[in-house]
Amino acid sequence: MDGNGLPERTTQLDPPAEFPFPFPPYDIQRDMMRQLYCCFEAGGLGVFQSPTGTGKSLSVLCSAMQWLRDDLQQTEKDLLDQNVSERAQGAAETHRSRSASTASTAGKTGAQQSSTSKKSMPAPPSWVMQKQADMRADAAKKAVDKWKAKIVARQDRIRLVRERSEEGRLSKRKFIPGVFKSGKGDDNNDDGTQDDGADSATEDADLVPRDYASDDDGGDGGLSDDSDGEEDEPPRIRKIFFCSRTHSQLAQFVSEVKNSPFSDVRLTALGSRQNLCTNPRVNKLSSLHAINEKCLDLQKTKNEIDPKTGKAVKVKKCPMLNPRSMNVTSNIILGSPQDIEEAAVVGERLGACAYYASRQAVEFAELVLLPYNMLLHKPTREAVGLDLKDNIVIVDEAHNLVETIAALHSAKLARLELEQAHAALSQYMDKFKRRLTPKHLMYIRQLLFVLKSWLTFLRKPVADGEKSEFLLSVNDFLFETKTDHMHFFKLLRYCEKSELHRKLLGYTQRHLPSVFDSGNGDVGESSGALRSKHISPLRGVQAFIESLTHADEDGRIVVRRSGRDASLQFMLLNPAIYFEEVLLKARAVAVVGGTMGSMSEFVQHLQTPKTRALKVSTFSCGHVVNGNNIIALAATHGPTNEPFRFTFANRKNKAMVEGLGRLLVNVCRVVPAGVVVFFPSYDTEDFIYQHWKACGVLDSLQRLKQVVREPRAAGKTDECLTEYSNAVQQGRGGLLFAVVGGKLSEGINFKDDLGRCVVMVGLPYPNRHSPALQEKMAYLDKRAGSGARNANGQSPGEAYYENLCMKAVNQSIGRAIRHRNDYAAILLVDDRYARPRIASQLPEWMQPYHTTVDKMGGVVRHLSTFFRKRK
Ligand code: SF4
């Protein structure tokens, strides 16, 4: 056993000939499972690309679980063998020492023997050596037996709880104790809502930080202190951390688990308090921030009088943290796979906090499901207490992994937020000046100085010829704002330890409600989050200070001086630094996606000098459908032979737009059921729609199919999808206008009749003139060194730029053809799709079926032949 109690295995594992699978797997699934298994065994980083609709999740699940079970079985076997070999080795040593001692005695004179014994200690008698070897072997076996016994005992307990739960013998009433209820009126106090009332002696005492030398930082609720006599020390279990982008993707994965041969897995799905909080007085609060803050507040231990004994007792104020019901809930969660919603229901039924119970279950889980931010954002990972060491990490839907890491660590600070923070903190300091220790005052003054300096910098008017948006290195920003002498590490540590942001929130809510109104009607999108009265004015400031502690070369500050919408934003240039720890700690990391783009570039973006030595394996496979089910056409010219080229400068060319309309009318005549058209941006879609409306194309389209447009507002997406799918299912046929990178280009399946044809209009390149993008490209070029070029002759920055576009194209294309018997046409409308460099970046599975057609008649002929054969 190693220092962490995780047994060590000595035999290497080979993938099995067949993996348990709910149905006979396709060849590509079998290949992928084998490669994944080898990656888990060999360690390092594995990048896996498999088109959507090829049963990727199931392949990931079955290979990972098979490896985990094989690992456990082989470990036990190795330990047993080790035990036998220890004994044998002991016997051999005994034998050797006996022979040596006989030979030595026989060959030496008395004087020689005496001089040898002076130089070295005599070997212990053979029976002692044997005994020592046996003892070593016994101790090893005992440790393994104990480890196994703990696992079996815990499993038995889980089984028992699950049986009782299924029989309905567990109920909320049984587990909620009344003993710690306050005598002050339970209704008001069980969530702490009335605790903040001030009396004259202790008015606002809760708003002043404690002396800043203390290590008391609130913690996570200290659930371990409340443990209800579970095992002395829990057995350490190797686990799989499976991470995906959204809760609904995790829920989908849980349903795959339930229908797989591994439905007996011990699984826990981690979600946010918004999804898992079971305290009705907290989970009804309007925002996640408010729920988080309230929950953390309730976790602080407070003194109360036990009504039975009349003595003061320390108590946590959320009644859902009852240790016994928490243990039962966590065992039920582990007893059979539950998604986040189901775990919340269990918690509610038992009167336990499902948020902490699901975290408590991590310790004994084999499979832990978690959203991206919990794995990729270090402070969140640490707050949850995820231990990745020697475990397997799988990142699903990883095509935008690098961009997601960058976004998670990009802190934005709006001018209004700075103003609010400065105003609130000044008044806070004035009010509590006499009660704050000199150390607190020193740090608060430093903070005020920093806020004022940044505000002055942001308020500077933009002179003629000056840009309103520009980038600075971290060092230059500090120099320009005259805050380069500040010790930001210390300041940050102070903010964290003192929890000043929470004190300030309490103070503003109680005494300065007007602070939250100051932006009404006068702030732009960038500062929208500020208006919530549940967010501390210091929260954003603290996150921004944290970003300043990065190495100068890893990030830039984007300065936007645009009046009330002015802002500062930290932009992370090197997201790999946040993936480094994951790679170094985990035994193996597999990143899996449908459209990863160039594998080698993807890997480079994730590597740092420290992780470059790790083994890297890559895998890419074709689609499960056969060639008769796919047709991919690049339409390069319109009906009057004008080329299609939807560049930024040409996208509003009316002749070309009309040509596109006529092409689409013909497409709708020959393609049955649903057609989805992706436009490069909302603006382009709107311009084209309005033009078609004016020139009559829209009427023609509407006569053929029901036209539905993707709304800009997120709340209306469901409505639009329902309208489109009703039109398709009722036989009218639907034509859906969607936007690349919008709400419909990821995570929505247009399978079967919902997507018989996907039309991609133009190439959705990001804005090349954006200072942030230019900086990122320059950073990549600089990092690779001058002259670095890929096979297409592009510098790393150019390759990155094009990759962003092609990943978006491939994501949108991947919405159609979702299973083996599905079929669809892909129509790429732009003459640049005929270029070999662009064509080579389309999905690999599509490339054999990719044909360039330069006449509209040719496009229509190809499509009608394809769909005639499908009837
Ligand atoms: S401890 Fe759990 S139930 Fe209680 S407020 Fe926090 S998240 Fe909600």
Side-chain angles (χ1 to χ4, degrees):
M1 312 274 277
D2 71 13
N4 292 313
L6 199 59
E8 286 164 11
R9 165 162 62 80
T10 47
T11 308
Q12 196 180 320
L13 294 173
D14 290 321
E18 284 300 334
F19 286 84
F21 213 68
F23 50 84
Y26 309 134
D27 285 349
I28 58 164
Q29 289 174 321
R30 202 175 279 123
D31 289 349
M32 185 167 168
M33 285 192 280
R34 246 183 240 132
Q35 292 294 325
L36 278 160
Y37 190 100
C38 292
C39 166
F40 301 144
E41 180 60 14
L45 169 67
V47 183
F48 294 81
Q49 177 169 256
S50 173
T52 37
T54 51
K56 226 176 13 243
S57 309
L58 209 49
S59 306
V60 168
L61 169 71
C62 292
S63 56
M65 283 310 302
Q66 184 61 41
W67 180 86
L68 195 75
R69 301 265 160 108
D70 287 354
D71 172 61
L72 184 65
Q73 204 177 24
Q74 189 61 48
T75 304
E76 284 177 26
K77 191 168 173 301
D78 280 2
L79 288 167
L80 210 64
D81 291 350
Q82 221 174 305
N83 178 272
V84 172
S85 85
E86 285 261 17
R87 280 180 205 279
Q89 205 184 332
E93 273 173 19
T94 308
H95 179 74
R96 253 197 320 278
S97 109
R98 256 192 214 136
S99 317
S101 132
T102 314
S104 148
T105 313
K108 287 177 183 173
T109 63
Q112 282 172 323
Q113 281 176 36
S114 126
S115 97
T116 311
S117 65
K118 274 179 201 162
K119 285 179 195 161
S120 61
M121 293 286 291
S126 57
W127 65 268
V128 173
M129 290 177 73
Q130 179 65 57
K131 188 76 190 160
Q132 283 171 343
D134 287 351
M135 279 167 66
R136 279 200 305 273
D138 284 346
K141 184 165 185 322
K142 245 188 214 163
V144 177
D145 286 350
K146 193 175 169 199
W147 177 73
K148 275 181 68 181
K150 280 181 179 180
I151 294 181
V152 171
R154 184 80 201 267
Q155 269 168 334
D156 285 348
R157 207 160 43 238
I158 289 172
R159 198 169 37 248
L160 194 73
V161 170
R162 190 180 58 192
E163 282 165 10
R164 284 186 187 164
S165 151
E166 282 164 4
E167 290 162 12
R169 284 162 61 195
L170 300 176
S171 72
K172 186 175 182 172
R173 214 167 353 112
K174 210 164 171 178
F175 292 104
I176 291 189
V179 63
F180 285 151
K181 289 220 170 156
S182 152
K184 289 190 271 176
D186 296 342
D187 277 357
N188 283 338
N189 282 282
D190 64 357
D191 70 352
T193 48
Q194 299 297 309
D195 270 12
D196 299 331
D199 63 39
S200 56
T202 59
E203 189 187 6
D204 291 334
D206 56 321
L207 301 180
V208 182
R210 291 180 198 174
D211 193 6
Y212 177 58
S214 146
D215 277 329
D216 181 3
D217 62 353
D220 69 350
L223 291 172
S224 52
D225 295 345
D226 285 333
S227 106
D228 191 32
E230 285 264 331
E231 292 290 329
D232 43 351
E233 203 182 300
R236 184 137 192 264
I237 308 287
R238 204 189 298 281
K239 351 185 162 289
I240 313 275
F241 288 102
F242 178 89
C243 138
S244 199
R245 274 189 318 121
T246 60
H247 282 163
S248 67
Q249 280 162 339
L250 293 178
Q252 232 170 309
F253 189 74
V254 174
S255 74
E256 301 249 26
V257 174
K258 286 178 184 171
N259 296 318
S260 79
F262 296 100
S263 57
D264 61 340
V265 62
R266 296 189 305 272
L267 173 156
T268 181
L270 305 183
S272 65
R273 286 184 178 90
Q274 202 160 26
N275 299 97
L276 287 165
C277 172
T278 47
N279 185 334
R281 298 193 171 194
V282 180
N283 62 18
K284 301 259 179 330
L285 292 174
S286 59
S287 73
L288 176 61
H289 286 295
I291 295 173
N292 283 342
E293 293 291 334
K294 188 71 196 168
C295 169
L296 289 173
D297 192 41
L298 291 185
Q299 311 244 351
K300 291 187 170 160
T301 308
K302 294 177 184 170
N303 284 326
E304 281 196 2
I305 304 298
D306 180 345
K308 282 189 184 161
T309 62
K311 288 185 182 159
V313 286
K314 285 194 182 302
V315 63
K316 290 195 167 66
K317 298 298 294 290
C318 180
M320 301 295 165
L321 287 175
N322 173 273
R324 195 163 164 223
S325 35
M326 290 284 289
N327 283 340
V328 175
T329 304
S330 109
N331 281 337
I332 290 181
I333 287 172
L334 290 172
S336 60
Q338 321 258 344
D339 65 29
I340 290 169
E341 280 75 23
E342 289 163 337
V345 171
V346 174
E348 262 162 28
R349 188 160 63 85
L350 297 176
C353 168
Y355 175 74
Y356 282 112
S358 58
R359 284 163 63 163
Q360 192 174 308
V362 169
E363 193 173 62
F364 197 59
E366 294 169 286
L367 186 53
V368 181
L369 312 190
L370 59 161
Y372 261 25
N373 64 325
M374 244 179 237
L375 176 80
L376 301 173
H377 189 238
K378 191 175 176 189
T380 311
R381 191 165 69 233
E382 285 174 353
V384 177
L386 293 183
D387 181 6
L388 303 181
K389 190 166 177 349
D390 295 332
N391 290 318
I392 301 293
V393 172
I394 298 168
V395 185
D396 196 22
E397 299 288 337
H399 50 279
N400 282 335
L401 177 60
V402 178
E403 290 75 25
T404 307
I405 299 173
L408 283 171
H409 297 86
S410 142
K412 188 169 180 180
L413 196 49
R415 173 176 156 178
L416 179 67
E417 200 171 358
L418 273 169
E419 284 167 352
Q420 284 180 335
H422 189 269
L425 195 58
S426 311
Q427 295 186 48
Y428 174 85
M429 191 179 76
D430 286 348
K431 181 162 174 80
F432 297 112
K433 208 179 260 169
R434 274 194 254 135
R435 288 154 74 177
L436 287 163
T437 63
K439 210 165 205 173
H440 281 299
L441 281 171
M442 179 189 81
Y443 280 113
I444 290 174
R445 283 198 182 105
Q446 282 185 15
L447 263 174
L448 283 170
F449 170 80
V450 167
L451 296 177
K452 184 128 194 244
S453 309
W454 292 350
L455 263 174
T456 311
F457 174 74
L458 259 190
R459 281 176 182 151
K460 239 169 131 179
V462 182
D464 282 349
E466 253 183 16
K467 288 183 179 168
S468 62
E469 181 176 333
F470 56 96
L471 275 86
L472 291 174
S473 71
V474 173
N475 286 346
D476 286 347
F477 169 75
L478 297 179
F479 185 73
E480 292 265 335
T481 55
K482 301 183 178 57
T483 49
D484 50 323
H485 61 288
M486 301 298 300
H487 199 317
F488 283 104
F489 280 101
K490 270 189 170 179
L491 199 54
L492 183 64
R493 192 173 153 74
Y494 167 75
C495 291
E496 286 167 357
K497 288 279 173 186
S498 65
E499 292 195 322
L500 185 64
H501 73 281
R502 300 190 59 220
K503 307 285 173 198
L504 194 64
L505 177 65
Y507 172 73
T508 1
Q509 284 172 336
R510 205 175 292 168
H511 298 289
L512 302 172
S514 60
V515 163
F516 296 110
D517 303 329
S518 58
N520 278 353
D522 196 24
V523 289
E525 213 174 281
S526 62
S527 43
L530 300 173
R531 289 174 217 148
S532 169
K533 61 179 190 301
H534 301 296
I535 302 172
S536 167
L538 266 191
R539 181 180 278 275
V541 174
Q542 199 171 313
F544 190 75
I545 291 180
E546 191 179 343
S547 67
L548 298 180
T549 59
H550 281 92
D552 193 47
E553 65 273 16
D554 287 335
R556 295 287 179 272
I557 308 294
V558 185
V559 183
R560 293 186 187 94
R561 279 189 183 138
S562 37
R564 298 289 289 160
D565 276 344
S567 64
L568 301 170
Q569 185 173 9
F570 174 78
M571 180 185 130
L572 182 64
L573 289 172
N574 183 14
I577 53 173
Y578 283 103
F579 206 57
E580 182 182 271
E581 189 178 290
V582 176
L583 278 173
L584 292 178
K585 281 200 167 168
R587 175 192 173 98
V589 178
V591 295
V592 185
T595 47
M596 313 292 278
S598 154
M599 295 281 216
S600 58
E601 275 157 32
F602 188 87
V603 169
Q604 275 170 23
H605 288 306
L606 289 178
Q607 284 178 324
T608 62
K610 275 194 200 162
T611 55
R612 224 159 269 150
L614 293 175
K615 184 180 163 57
V616 176
S617 46
T618 57
F619 172 87
S620 180
C621 68
H623 214 296
V624 285
V625 293
N626 66 44
N628 295 332
N629 290 10
I630 306 172
I631 183 171
L633 304 172
T636 58
H637 290 76
T640 54
N641 222 19
E642 78 283 9
F644 283 131
R645 179 137 349 142
F646 289 87
T647 56
F648 186 76
N650 198 38
R651 72 198 193 287
K652 293 188 178 170
N653 174 334
K654 289 190 177 170
M656 183 179 71
V657 167
E658 274 179 47
L660 172 69
R662 284 177 59 194
L663 173 68
L664 209 51
V665 168
N666 283 290
V667 167
C668 286
R669 283 201 180 107
V670 293
V671 176
V675 175
V676 184
V677 186
F678 282 101
F679 294 92
S681 68
Y682 284 107
D683 282 350
T684 308
E685 189 270 348
D686 194 51
F687 174 82
I688 292 177
Y689 182 86
Q690 299 304 341
H691 186 65
W692 285 349
K693 200 171 169 183
C695 69
V697 167
L698 192 64
D699 285 342
S700 307
L701 290 171
Q702 271 165 338
R703 274 193 290 278
L704 292 162
K705 291 186 191 291
Q706 181 157 336
V707 177
V708 181
R709 297 174 74 192
E710 175 183 329
R712 288 197 192 216
K716 296 195 171 161
T717 311
D718 284 353
E719 216 175 284
C720 133
L721 282 175
T722 309
E723 188 188 347
Y724 172 68
S725 84
N726 285 345
V728 171
Q729 275 153 16
Q730 288 160 11
R732 159 99 169 83
L735 177 61
L736 178 62
F737 294 167
V739 171
V740 177
K743 291 146 223 94
L744 307 179
S745 63
E746 283 198 43
I748 310 258
N749 296 344
F750 294 110
K751 68 173 183 178
D752 300 325
D753 276 352
L754 289 179
R756 286 302 176 211
C757 180
V758 170
V759 182
M760 172 63 59
V761 178
L763 282 145
Y765 283 102
N767 177 9
R768 197 175 184 135
H769 301 293
S770 144
L773 180 60
Q774 285 179 349
E775 190 70 21
K776 173 81 184 185
M777 288 167 68
Y779 167 81
L780 292 173
D781 288 347
K782 190 173 164 208
R783 194 179 66 168
S786 61
R789 290 281 181 272
N790 66 9
N792 288 325
Q794 295 166 304
S795 74
E798 286 162 355
Y800 172 78
Y801 172 67
E802 191 154 277
N803 211 1
L804 286 176
C805 164
M806 293 312 294
K807 272 199 289 188
V809 168
N810 295 346
Q811 256 320 104
S812 302
I813 290 173
R815 300 304 90 212
I817 314 188
R818 309 296 297 186
H819 58 86
R820 189 179 182 79
N821 299 317
D822 204 354
Y823 62 93
I826 314 288
L827 184 58
L828 308 163
V829 188
D830 199 296
D831 68 349
R832 289 170 291 174
Y833 283 110
R835 294 179 189 167
R837 195 187 77 222
I838 298 292
S840 71
Q841 293 176 72
L842 290 167
E844 264 179 52
W845 55 268
M846 207 182 96
Q847 290 188 23
Y849 316 107
H850 180 227
T851 311
T852 299
V853 190
D854 59 5
K855 296 267 181 314
M856 189 176 85
V859 172
V860 178
R861 245 190 328 277
H862 274 289
L863 289 177
S864 18
T865 312
F866 176 77
F867 284 105
R868 224 181 5 255
K869 281 190 192 160
R870 301 303 319 166
K871 276 185 185 163

